[in-house]
Amino acid sequence: MGLRIDTFDNVRGGNTLYKALTHPIAAALGQQLIYRLSHYGKVAIVDPQGAAEGFAELFDLSRLDIAGI
């Protein structure tokens, strides 16, 4: 099963978000972020750049109580 991540867009060009988020240091920090947020209750996600969907493909957000995006 493939990941639903935009790696290239004909209008904007390459999307390197997935490369940045899968870097070993960033991946560990992403896991820490989810762990910390899971202890605060409901979480609202503000996503002006449209990165939340790609982030959710790479990290398990099931432990978060997401109030809205």
Side-chain angles (χ1 to χ4, degrees), residues 10-55:
N10 286 333
V11 175
R12 293 177 289 155
N15 179 356
T16 59
L17 177 65
Y18 72 97
K19 288 183 180 181
L21 292 176
T22 57
H23 185 280
I25 294 173
L29 292 173
Q31 294 294 343
Q32 288 178 18
L33 174 65
I34 294 167
Y35 176 79
R36 290 178 181 172
L37 288 175
S38 70
H39 291 87
Y40 288 104
K42 290 192 180 288
V43 176
I45 298 174
V46 178
D47 186 26
Q49 301 295 322
E53 190 173 327
F55 187 88

Side-chain angles (χ1 to χ4, degrees), residues 50-65:
E53 190 173 327
F55 187 88
E57 284 291 315
L58 298 169
F59 296 96
D60 180 15
L61 303 182
S62 64
R63 69 171 57 181
L64 298 181
D65 184 6

